[in-house]
Structure formats: structure tokens, C-alpha cells
Amino acid sequence: MGASPEILLTILLFAMSCVWAFPEVASAKHAGITRHYKFNIKLKNVTRLCHTKSMVTVNGRFPGPRIVAREGDRVVVKVVSHVPNNISIHWHGIRQLQSGWADGPSYITQCPIQTNQTYVYNFTITGQRGTLFWHAHISWLRASVYGSLIVFPKHNVSYPFAKPHKEVTIMLGEWFNADSEAVIRQALQTGGGPNVSDAYTFNGFPGPLYNCSANRKTYLLRLINAALNDELFFSIANHTFTVVEVDATYVKPFETSLLVITPGQTTNILLKTKPIAPNASFYMLARPYFTGQGTFDNTTGAGILEYETSSNSTTFTPTLPPINATNVVANFTRKLRSLASSQFPVNVPQTADKKYFLHSWSRKQPVPEKIRPVKGLMVQNFQLLLTTSPWLSLHQHSFNPIFSKNQMGCTPLISQAFLSIHSITQGPHRTILL
Ligand SMILES: *[C@@H]1O[C@H](CO)[C@@H](O)[C@H](O)[C@H]1NC(C)=O
Ligand SMILES: *[C@@H]1O[C@H](CO)[C@@H](O)[C@H](O)[C@H]1NC(C)=O
Ligand SMILES: *[C@@H]1O[C@H](CO)[C@@H](O)[C@H](O)[C@H]1NC(C)=O
Ligand SMILES: *[C@@H]1O[C@H](CO)[C@@H](O)[C@H](O)[C@H]1NC(C)=O
Ligand SMILES: *[C@@H]1O[C@H](CO)[C@@H](O)[C@H](O)[C@H]1NC(C)=O
Ligand SMILES: *[C@@H]1O[C@H](CO)[C@@H](O)[C@H](O)[C@H]1NC(C)=O
Ligand SMILES: *[C@@H]1O[C@H](CO)[C@@H](O)[C@H](O)[C@H]1NC(C)=O
Ligand SMILES: *[C@@H]1O[C@H](CO)[C@@H](O)[C@H](O)[C@H]1NC(C)=O
Ligand SMILES: *[C@@H]1O[C@H](CO)[C@@H](O)[C@H](O)[C@H]1NC(C)=O
Ligand SMILES: *[C@@H]1O[C@H](CO)[C@@H](O)[C@H](O)[C@H]1NC(C)=O
Ligand SMILES: *[C@@H]1O[C@H](CO)[C@@H](O)[C@H](O)[C@H]1NC(C)=O
Ligand SMILES: *[C@@H]1O[C@H](CO)[C@@H](O)[C@H](O)[C@H]1NC(C)=O
């Protein structure tokens, strides 16, 4: 714009859905409006990497629909389940201030929504603005049930950085050729690591570096890592960008050519385009950072950044660090600092009210079937077990361990296997309830 050559920046991805305008926002004249959404949970046949499978989606879309609001708005989402699976939706990163019932983790704040049931999530976005996302919060349904949740600043409040020309949302995710529910079920039964995914995706598509992957579309850079478990490196060939916000919190801007984004994390970047449109296009790549012992999906997801002039030219590839480059990750995370301006201060509590002792474990086969689960967690020496009522309702009743079953109407989930572990963990451990 202005004196510089007019460059039409498009980001061509092997993908879908692009929202260049925000009609919902345009119609919101003042802060504090209520935005209504309807999520129909339904099965949909989706094809990637030449594999077609029926999967759980919201409104038949993968990734799911985008939620847009302004800071101060109330969001009301009516979720109706048309699938056999139990499900609940978590608004990842939203601070649920006195709206715990809308947080979404199954068996923590609510019973899962069962077939033909409806649940209304109702919460207000307070003191947050930026990129967040929503996803399913039970088992591994988050593999296919996720979407962006964009919170614009209040009306009349600008970004604490230069106004971008356009905004683009990029959701990194994972694709499993197999049913992801079968994958986690198998892992929980064997105690081994779950089978890894077959591809990393950009807005639901694996990109050209995988066999049998095509489907070009255009986009606008709000990065969301909706992968299930993988920390990802992200880079764009021949471009640097400025990180300005992480997890709906502004950060001190810094320039980088490489990003590290963990599962569940979001990052907003300002992409600097070339002053003169190059006759080239540029890969955006996402690949894992991994140092553990288990298996992981060691493949590379890709999108393409293309200038108007670069339709049939060379495509450059960025250099990503080695898979185990911990020093690179440490360097990156050290740069993340709160904006801490007068408008966006950081009020970190200076004293701790309570200290927590956490202990988690995981063990491999062979274990007798009855002493499952093979993985578990203890807090303050209390073993956390799946309960018949959501924990939030137990909390409301002062965590009374003799709390009656089915208080919230959930059908008991605890099997004999869970009951068994109770008896073997007596002693120094205590069990919250069964
Ligand atoms: C998915 O495809 C199968 C086989 O073609 C078909 O029977 C089924 O109805 C389809 N499911 C949906 C939700 O379209
Ligand atoms: C859900 O509703 C449909 C249509 O009313 C009905 O056919 C089906 O049996 C119901 N399923 C369950 C599990 O309630
Ligand atoms: C959402 O919650 C507010 C405050 O509790 C309430 O006034 C409003 O009626 C609720 N809306 C819906 C659709 O449940
Ligand atoms: C927008 O900001 C201007 C200048 O700060 C102020 O005069 C005006 O009242 C504000 N408008 C709204 C709707 O808040
Ligand atoms: C996991 O991978 C193994 C080995 O490839 C395969 O035999 C098994 O069927 C896979 N499990 C699922 C649930 O896809
Ligand atoms: C694509 O297919 C070719 C030929 O079958 C194979 O050599 C190559 O490893 C495959 N690439 C990926 C990313 O799967
Ligand atoms: C991209 O970067 C490569 C390697 O640094 C360089 O050789 C190439 O000229 C650059 N291309 C463009 C269009 O900037
Ligand atoms: C991951 O794949 C890259 C090449 O695609 C290879 O160089 C590297 O050794 C692999 N790493 C692991 C841990 O499998
Ligand atoms: C693309 O290819 C066509 C035909 O080969 C050629 O005429 C055109 O100049 C090329 N465009 C670019 C931007 O390289
Ligand atoms: C990363 O892995 C390579 C190959 O396994 C090894 O040589 C190197 O020491 C590792 N680097 C770090 C930082 O762990
Ligand atoms: C990490 O940052 C330090 C200081 O800026 C630099 O000297 C070092 O090369 C960086 N290491 C990596 C692996 O980026
Ligand atoms: C759904 O949840 C209920 C109550 O927790 C449970 O009885 C039922 O088996 C679950 N259904 C599925 C398909 O997991």
C-alpha cells in the first residue's frame, strides 16, 4: 500500500476455508453483545492421503467452524449430538470466570453429551483478546473436532502493534488414517505408546509433501497447534515474522524465522512480505520437536506462501532445526515475554496460597487386565480417578467422598478395572472416591 508496489499476498494451501472478512464482527456495534452458535456434532466422511473415513465433526466441517467474538462479549454455543460417541467441547484458553460449567472437560465440569442430548455453553470473554481455539475434550475426539476461536479487541481498541493488512488463521493438526478413537483405545489397553499420526495438517490438509495429497485453496497468520500431542517447529522459507501474541496474551514483539508451537498453543505472527514480489513461492513447514523415547510421527506438513507473480515458479524450502534441537527451543521460549505495557500489565501473584504435589505414572505391559489403568495421576497423594459425577459438582459438595453416584445424571463409567486399582493402592495413597 502507499508508495510501495501493490503486492497481493495470497497463501495457497492445500486446504480449505478462508475468511477474509469478519461479518460477525462488523455487525457488532459495541462490546458486550451475545453471540450465538449452533454446533451439530455429526459424522462425516473425510478423505486425506487417499484414505476415506467416517469421523466426528462439528457441522460436518474439518476443521470445525470458527467462533468470532470481541473482548467483553458473551458466547452461547448450543451443542447437539447426533453421534454415538460421548462428547464435550472445551474452549481452550478461555478463562471461565464463574462460568465453570461452561469449561467443557468431560467428567471434570460436566457429564459428556450423549447421543441426541444438547448442552449449552454460555460464557463471557473477560480480559482476553487474541487467538484461541476450541476442541472436543474426551478421549481423542479432539483429533477431528476443533476450530478457531478468535477474540478481537473491544471496539475502538487497537492492537498494540501495527495494523496488519490482512489476517489469516492457520491451524496445525494431525491426520490419522485409522480411527483415532481406536488408536487411543488400543494404547490404553496395552499400556504402550499410541500409534502415531500419518500426517501433520495445515487447516486440515497435509500438503504437497505427502503422497496423495492435493486440493489447493487460498487463505489469510493466526497459528493454532491443534495436534494432539506434538510440539512443532514452524518456518516459512525466505521470510521472517514477528511474534506478537501467544495464547490470547500480547507478548513483547520479536522477530524470528522459526516458531515453536506446542499442542494447544496459539501464536499470532506478523508476516513481512517482500518489498518486491518475488517470482517464487515458499514452503511453510511444520515438523515435530521430539526428544523422548517413544515413537512419534516424523513427517512434515506443508503449506505454500505464494505472491501474485509466483504462480508457476520455483518453490523454496525453509531449513528446520533437527528434531531434537532443545537449544533452539530454549532460545525461542526465552524470547517470550509479556507485553507488560501500562494498557496490558502483568499482575503476577507474589505469594502462593497452596503448594501441590503431583505424581504421574505410566507402565507397560504385561500387566494383568484388572490392575488398569496403566497410566495415572496423583495430586497431594490423592489418586485421580474417573468419577461418576463431574469433579466440579463434587467440589460444589465439598469433595465429599461418600457423594452418591449419579448425582449429575451421568451413567457410571467406572468399571471393575478401576475399582481394582483402589484396593492395590491403599497404604500411603488415598483414593478420592469410586
Ligand atoms: C460414509 O460412506 C459410507 C460408505 O460409502 C456410507 O455408507 C456412509 O453413509 C457415509 N457416511 C456419511 C456420514 O456420509
Ligand atoms: C436419537 O434420536 C433419533 C431420532 O429421534 C432416534 O431414532 C434414536 O433412536 C435416538 N438415539 C438415542 C441413542 O437416543
Ligand atoms: C447465559 O448466561 C446468562 C448469565 O447467567 C443468562 O442471563 C443467559 O440467559 C444465558 N443464556 C443462555 C442462552 O442460556
Ligand atoms: C472511541 O475512542 C474515542 C477516542 O478515544 C472516544 O472519543 C470515543 O468515545 C470512543 N467511542 C466508543 C464507542 O467507545
Ligand atoms: C497400530 O499400528 C499397528 C502396527 O502398524 C497395527 O497393527 C495396528 O492395527 C494399529 N492400531 C490401530 C488402532 O490402528
Ligand atoms: C511416497 O511414495 C513413494 C513411492 O511409493 C515412497 O517412496 C515415498 O516414501 C512416499 N512418501 C511419503 C512421504 O510417504
Ligand atoms: C531464498 O533463500 C535461498 C537460500 O537462502 C536463496 O538462495 C534464494 O535466493 C532466496 N530466494 C528468494 C526469492 O528470496
Ligand atoms: C526423522 O526424519 C528425518 C528425515 O525425514 C530423518 O533424517 C531423521 O533421522 C528422522 N528422525 C527420527 C528420530 O526418526
Ligand atoms: C508460467 O508459465 C507460462 C507458460 O509456461 C509462462 O508463459 C509464464 O510466463 C510463466 N509465469 C511465471 C510467473 O513464471
Ligand atoms: C540429536 O540426535 C542426534 C542423532 O541421534 C545426536 O547425535 C545428537 O547428539 C542429539 N542432539 C541433542 C541436542 O540431543
Ligand atoms: C541461542 O541463542 C544464543 C544467544 O543469542 C546464540 O549464541 C546461540 O547460537 C543460539 N543457539 C541456537 C541453537 O539457536
Ligand atoms: C457415554 O457415557 C455414559 C455415561 O458416562 C456411558 O454409560 C456410556 O457407555 C458412554 N457411551 C460411549 C459410547 O462411550
Side-chain angles (χ1 to χ4, degrees):
M1 298 242 264
S4 65
E6 186 68 18
I7 297 166
L8 176 67
L9 168 69
T10 58
I11 295 175
L12 275 178
L13 291 177
F14 293 76
M16 45 160 283
S17 135
C18 165
V19 185
W20 291 90
F22 312 124
E24 306 95 325
V25 171
S27 66
K29 288 285 177 270
H30 11 255
I33 68 166
T34 300
R35 295 167 189 270
H36 294 269
Y37 288 87
K38 173 95 182 275
F39 278 16
N40 283 307
I41 310 292
K42 47 161 100 165
L43 292 172
K44 170 90 179 167
N45 285 334
V46 176
T47 304
R48 299 288 186 273
L49 307 181
C50 290
H51 287 256
T52 301
K53 64 172 181 178
S54 169
M55 50 185 221
V56 178
T57 64
V58 169
N59 300 346
R61 293 169 59 183
F62 172 65
R66 162 178 138 127
I67 286 202
V68 172
R70 282 194 189 277
E71 182 182 343
D73 285 352
R74 176 178 294 281
V75 174
V76 176
V77 187
K78 184 175 179 189
V79 179
V80 187
S81 171
H82 307 282
V83 298
N85 314 61
N86 287 335
I87 195 166
S88 65
I89 306 286
H90 172 58
W91 315 95
H92 193 105
I94 291 285
R95 295 181 198 128
Q96 297 286 357
L97 302 180
Q98 305 198 328
S99 52
W101 301 109
D103 198 36
S106 283
Y107 297 106
I108 306 297
T109 58
Q110 68 171 103
C111 301
I113 308 165
Q114 298 181 44
T115 315
N116 291 349
Q117 287 183 350
T118 294
Y119 192 91
V120 176
Y121 293 91
N122 181 349
F123 56 90
T124 300
I125 302 170
T126 307
Q128 292 183 279
R129 76 303 299 166
T131 306
L132 291 172
F133 76 115
W134 54 264
H135 58 179
H137 214 292
I138 185 167
S139 190
W140 268 20
L141 287 181
R142 67 185 187 281
S144 60
V145 179
Y146 62 86
S148 59
L149 196 173
I150 310 296
V151 185
F152 287 100
K154 285 180 175 166
H155 249 291
N156 226 6
V157 177
S158 52
Y159 293 133
F161 44 82
K163 190 175 189 295
H165 177 57
K166 289 218 160 91
E167 304 193 10
V168 186
T169 303
I170 298 179
M171 302 200 71
L172 306 174
E174 286 178 88
W175 169 263
F176 292 82
N177 286 335
D179 172 11
S180 53
E181 287 301 281
V183 170
I184 186 61
R185 206 179 306 126
Q186 186 180 52
L188 288 174
Q189 273 161 9
T190 62
N195 283 4
V196 301
S197 54
D198 296 284
Y200 291 105
T201 54
F202 277 62
N203 289 353
F205 287 83
L209 304 189
Y210 297 94
N211 286 330
C212 197
S213 181
N215 199 352
R216 296 192 133 205
K217 288 221 175 114
T218 317
Y219 279 72
L220 146 66
L221 282 176
R222 294 173 174 271
L223 288 159
I224 299 170
N225 185 350
L228 283 76
N229 306 303
D230 297 272
E231 301 178 8
L232 297 172
F233 288 120
F234 171 90
S235 188
I236 306 173
N238 298 69
H239 287 74
T240 59
F241 39 82
T242 307
V243 177
V244 293
E245 182 245 293
V246 171
D247 292 341
T249 304
Y250 293 127
V251 295
K252 285 200 175 66
F254 66 93
E255 196 162 326
T256 179
S257 58
L258 176 81
L259 201 77
V260 181
I261 185 163
T262 62
Q265 197 177 28
T266 63
T267 304
N268 279 5
I269 60 178
L270 300 175
L271 177 71
K272 286 190 178 166
T273 59
K274 304 277 176 202
I276 296 165
N279 182 18
S281 42
F282 307 91
Y283 272 127
M284 300 190 275
L285 301 183
R287 193 179 72 186
Y289 159 61
F290 186 82
T291 58
Q293 292 294 319
T295 53
F296 67 103
D297 174 359
N298 184 17
T299 61
T300 307
I304 292 182
L305 169 71
E306 215 179 65
Y307 289 78
E308 199 179 26
T309 50
S310 55
S311 47
N312 51 359
S313 54
T314 330
T315 303
F316 290 93
T317 306
T319 311
L320 290 173
I323 299 267
N324 60 353
T326 300
N327 48 356
V328 174
V329 175
N331 264 12
F332 177 80
T333 49
R334 256 198 296 274
K335 291 183 199 154
L336 293 175
R337 291 281 179 267
S338 301
L339 184 57
S341 63
S342 56
Q343 195 184 0
F344 299 101
V346 185
N347 300 315
V348 179
Q350 302 293 308
T351 56
D353 297 328
K354 198 164 169 64
K355 290 183 179 165
Y356 281 93
F357 174 69
L358 302 178
H359 169 208
S360 69
W361 75 88
S362 162
R363 68 170 163 259
K364 288 221 171 195
Q365 268 189 315
V367 291
E369 182 74 0
K370 65 176 183 162
I371 61 167
R372 288 186 299 162
V374 291
K375 298 170 200 285
L377 176 68
M378 292 202 308
V379 179
Q380 307 292 60
N381 278 347
F382 277 95
Q383 186 180 336
L384 298 187
L385 296 180
L386 292 178
T387 58
T388 51
S389 301
W391 288 346
L392 188 62
S393 79
L394 298 176
H395 177 68
Q396 202 175 29
H397 294 82
S398 313
F399 270 104
N400 177 2
I402 318 180
F403 192 72
S404 72
K405 294 186 182 181
N406 291 324
Q407 194 88 10
M408 284 287 298
C410 294
T411 312
L413 178 93
I414 297 168
S415 62
Q416 197 56 40
F418 282 94
L419 286 164
S420 312
I421 198 160
H422 183 193
S423 55
I424 63 159
T425 57
Q426 293 295 329
H429 306 158
R430 286 179 294 166
T431 301
I432 287 189
L433 79 145
L434 285 166

